Structures are given as structure tokens and as C-alpha cells.
Amino acid sequence: MLTVKVRKDDPADLFEQVAMELRRAIAEGEAKPGERLPPAKDLAAVLGVNTNTVLRALRLLRDEGILEFRRGRGISVVGIPERGQVIKQARELVHYARTHGVRVDELIEIIRNAD
């Protein structure tokens, strides 16, 4: 079992604390790419939080490219937090570009020329 913990007196949302703890555990090698995580209900029981809180954190890490959900096979680690941060920043950049009238193909060209 991973060593993750949350503090209910912490001002950060519980799902963000769970996601942060899972990122830390993965970064420190407690769970390596290719390994499966315990079921969300087991993580929730250990942490003393609602299963939906854990599921929200897991979905966040999936969206960051750190976890992969497979029906019938559970949740596996597929990336490392550093890559997840790059993906998160890229999504934020795409959103920022769109709000300022820059298309994705234009943004790609800007990135290619930024080197």
C-alpha cells in the first residue's frame, strides 16, 4: 500500500491533497510505471475520505498523463509527475492562446520557432 496521507485542517481541497500525495509517491518510486494502484475505495478507506474524493484525484492524474484507467484492469501508473506537469502546462497554454485568438496550429508554429 502507498504511504499517502491528507490533513483535513489543510486549506487545500482534499482531492488536491490526494493527487499531490499520489504524485509524490510516484515520484519517490513507491509506485512505478506499469504498476497498478490499489482500488479507489481502498485508498479512500486508508485516507479516511470519500471514494469520490479519491476518484476526482485519480481523474486529475489521468488527465495529467500520470495514470491510465483500464476497464477490468484497474488504474496503472503510466508516467512520472514531471511529464504530467508538462502536459498540464501545455493545456493551460493552449487555453490561454485560444482566449487570445491564437489557433492551435499557430501556437505550434510559435513553439517551433521559440527554440
Side-chain angles (χ1 to χ4, degrees):
M1 182 64 88
L2 299 171
T3 56
V4 293
K5 57 189 175 287
V6 296
R7 291 184 36 212
K8 295 191 179 176
D9 62 337
D10 190 311
D13 289 332
L14 286 175
F15 83 93
E16 290 173 342
Q17 290 185 54
V18 172
M20 181 179 67
E21 281 292 300
L22 290 171
R23 278 189 209 97
R24 180 205 49 78
I26 293 166
E28 292 179 0
E30 290 183 44
K32 297 175 178 58
E35 291 183 6
R36 289 193 315 184
L37 294 184
K41 65 179 180 162
D42 293 351
L43 284 171
V46 168
L47 294 168
V49 298
N50 188 289
T51 303
N52 288 325
T53 300
V54 172
L55 288 170
R56 188 170 176 190
L58 294 172
R59 284 191 296 269
L60 178 63
L61 296 179
R62 178 199 58 199
D63 293 346
E64 291 177 9
I66 296 172
L67 301 178
E68 179 180 72
F69 294 19
R70 286 194 173 175
R71 187 174 302 277
R73 292 190 180 178
I75 301 168
S76 299
V77 177
V78 294
I80 55 174
E82 292 79 12
R83 180 174 171 83
Q85 281 294 62
V86 171
I87 291 169
K88 179 182 175 195
Q89 292 291 322
R91 285 189 175 128
E92 289 175 6
L93 178 59
V94 168
H95 175 74
Y96 181 82
R98 284 181 176 156
T99 61
H100 289 83
V102 177
R103 296 186 324 263
V104 173
D105 61 322
E106 293 173 322
L107 179 59
I108 292 169
E109 192 60 34
I110 291 168
I111 292 169
R112 281 191 180 124
N113 293 326
D115 209 7

